[in-house]
Amino acid sequence: MYTKIGFIGLGLIGGSIAKTIKRIYEDTKIIALNHSSDSIRLAYNEGIIDNEGAFPIENMKDCDLIFLCAPVSINIDYLDTLKQIINPDCILTDVGSVKGEMEEAVKECGLEKQFIGGHPMCGSELIGYQNAKDRLLENAYYILTNNCRVSKESYLKLKEFVKSLGAIPIEMTVDNHDFVTGGVSHVPHIIASSLVNFVMNNDKNSNMKTVAAGGFKDITRIASSSPIMWQNICLTNKDKILELLDKYEIELDKFKTAIKSSDQKEIIELFADAKEYRDSITTGKGKMYKVYEFYCDLADEAGSIATIATMLAANQLSIKNIGIINNREFTNGVLRIEMYDEDSLEKAIEILARNHYEIHR
């Protein structure tokens, strides 16, 4: 599809995309720039990229696709230079979780006809090329934003390319993207971090930290993500985040008001509404229960899920639930497997790990 592809930034996402391309299109030439020379050297030694070290940006002049995988501010800094060197048919695309600021910069630079925003909904708390995987995109949603200035042919070509890498392309407007990701990703990270800070600042003699159980750990897990990355997201999606935080405060005030007035009916309705919607996201059914689950990296190949199911069944292990995870931001593994009890969970993990499957708890 594309003969020469450039990368500006070769971290977890950029590195994973490059590895995926090389796995599927081994003859594609890939060159990359990155602030860490170690990542460039490692990618070269692995045969992923064709440059052993840094090079002048002009070397990207004959690329037909360039991924901007650095922080938004750095991607923007490159636009003026790229405009001077890339050919008219070259497409620029980014991978950031905020689109508005990037789209504005593209417009100001006059590159609207050559830019398609992108956001693969996958990743983890881990960062850097050393954690990149060639199947990270597998069955993950990949949002593409169309500014309507790019030709239909170019847009469809990138969409098909993304699909060929194993991802599931979804089209959104820039504004809708930033609102949606603000609601299901950015604000939850802020809430998780603020909850951790709340406990930390009110933890007398570390008693809260000592007794913190699964519920607290589950809801605050994403607070372990990169502070620098989330600083950047908060500053680049500021308007949407502030709008959503105002809306969240209204929801929080509903609980506060109901509890203050001892309104039994309102309290139970608030919890019941939340439970019903949350359960519909997880399994499509009601009842909350302790979950014995793990995640497994899996190639999207015919019979791959059946192989795992057969392997566990041969060891008298019953699977309670199994399914592909399409939105894997900060969730490792493409396949979610749920067992009936802790003993079955541990045995299943042991069996699959012994058969060289990569497992995530």
Side-chain angles (χ1 to χ4, degrees):
M1 278 192 167
Y2 299 99
T3 57
K4 183 177 179 180
I5 298 175
F7 283 82
I8 293 178
L10 203 66
L12 175 68
I13 300 299
S16 294
I17 295 173
K19 285 186 174 185
T20 304
I21 293 171
K22 207 65 176 179
R23 174 174 60 82
I24 298 173
Y25 301 103
E26 56 181 306
D27 293 332
T28 300
K29 184 173 183 180
I30 300 176
I31 59 174
L33 292 173
N34 192 65
H35 71 281
S36 169
S37 58
D38 290 341
S39 296
I40 295 295
R41 193 176 304 110
L42 179 58
Y44 176 78
N45 291 337
E46 291 178 345
I48 303 301
I49 62 175
D50 293 275
N51 57 293
E52 189 173 4
F55 56 82
I57 189 68
E58 285 74 19
N59 284 20
M60 288 194 174
K61 64 183 179 181
D62 55 347
C63 287
D64 40 15
L65 177 64
I66 296 175
F67 284 92
L68 302 172
C69 304
V72 175
S73 58
I74 296 177
N75 289 337
I76 290 174
D77 286 343
Y78 272 100
L79 291 179
D80 281 328
T81 303
L82 289 171
K83 181 182 179 181
Q84 305 303 317
I85 64 168
I86 60 175
N87 66 66
D89 296 322
C90 177
I91 290 295
L92 301 176
T93 185
D94 69 338
V95 298
S97 67
V98 180
K99 289 284 159 274
E101 186 171 334
M102 188 68 192
E103 289 278 0
E104 280 300 315
V106 166
K107 184 177 180 179
E108 290 177 10
C109 200
L111 281 169
E112 288 177 283
K113 292 183 179 180
Q114 292 181 260
F115 181 80
I116 301 171
H119 179 195
M121 303 291 286
C122 54
S124 76
E125 292 89 347
L126 303 175
I127 59 174
Y129 178 83
Q130 67 274 18
N131 293 302
K133 299 177 181 179
D134 67 358
R135 294 189 184 274
L136 192 68
L137 297 175
E138 204 84 58
N139 286 300
Y141 291 128
Y142 198 120
I143 300 173
L144 295 173
T145 57
N146 188 349
N147 60 27
C148 298
R149 297 295 305 280
V150 175
S151 71
K152 183 178 180 180
E153 180 184 3
S154 294
Y155 178 82
L156 291 177
K157 182 178 180 181
L158 181 60
K159 182 179 179 180
E160 284 303 309
F161 183 66
V162 164
K163 189 175 181 180
S164 75
L165 299 181
I168 303 171
I170 298 177
E171 184 174 349
M172 288 189 186
T173 65
V174 171
D175 193 64
N176 189 40
H177 170 276
D178 287 357
F179 186 81
V180 168
T181 56
V184 299
S185 179
H186 307 165
V187 168
H189 273 79
I190 293 169
I191 292 170
S193 296
S194 64
L195 181 56
V196 172
N197 289 340
F198 160 76
V199 169
M200 176 182 67
N201 294 328
N202 290 276
D203 194 2
K204 307 296 183 183
N205 302 316
S206 295
N207 288 335
M208 288 184 179
K209 185 177 182 180
T210 300
V211 302
F216 178 78
K217 292 175 181 176
D218 286 345
I219 200 172
T220 60
R221 176 180 57 85
I222 53 178
S224 294
S225 303
S226 166
I228 295 174
M229 179 180 72
W230 284 99
Q231 176 198 52
N232 186 267
I233 287 173
C234 285
L235 294 177
T236 53
N237 200 26
K238 181 172 66 174
D239 292 342
K240 289 291 187 293
I241 288 173
L242 289 174
E243 177 187 351
L244 288 159
L245 282 173
D246 285 341
K247 293 178 182 294
Y248 175 70
E249 286 180 2
I250 292 172
E251 294 300 322
L252 199 59
D253 280 339
K254 290 179 183 178
F255 278 94
K256 186 176 179 181
T257 300
I259 294 169
K260 187 176 182 179
S261 61
S262 299
D263 189 335
Q264 297 181 46
K265 183 175 181 295
E266 178 67 10
I267 291 172
I268 198 168
E269 284 183 357
L270 288 169
F271 280 114
D273 288 346
K275 179 182 183 304
E276 181 180 357
Y277 189 73
R278 175 62 177 84
D279 290 348
S280 73
I281 295 173
T282 307
T283 61
K285 53 188 177 183
K287 193 175 180 181
M288 291 292 285
Y289 47 81
K290 183 171 178 60
V291 178
Y292 302 98
E293 67 180 7
F294 63 96
Y295 297 84
C296 175
D297 283 335
L298 183 72
D300 189 5
E301 298 170 350
S304 55
I305 295 179
T307 299
I308 288 178
T310 301
M311 193 180 301
L312 297 182
N315 287 272
Q316 288 75 52
L317 293 174
S318 297
I319 297 172
K320 186 171 186 178
N321 204 348
I322 189 169
I324 297 293
I325 303 298
N326 299 122
N327 182 346
R328 299 200 315 278
E329 284 199 311
F330 307 98
T331 299
N332 288 314
V334 62
L335 186 70
R336 174 184 175 272
I337 302 175
E338 182 184 346
M339 308 302 290
Y340 280 92
D341 53 53
E342 190 166 0
D343 185 51
S344 296
L345 174 73
E346 297 302 331
K347 287 180 181 177
I349 290 173
E350 179 187 352
I351 290 165
L352 293 179
R354 195 166 62 236
N355 284 274
H356 310 294
Y357 286 93
E358 188 166 354
I359 304 299
H360 308 279
R361 302 295 293 266

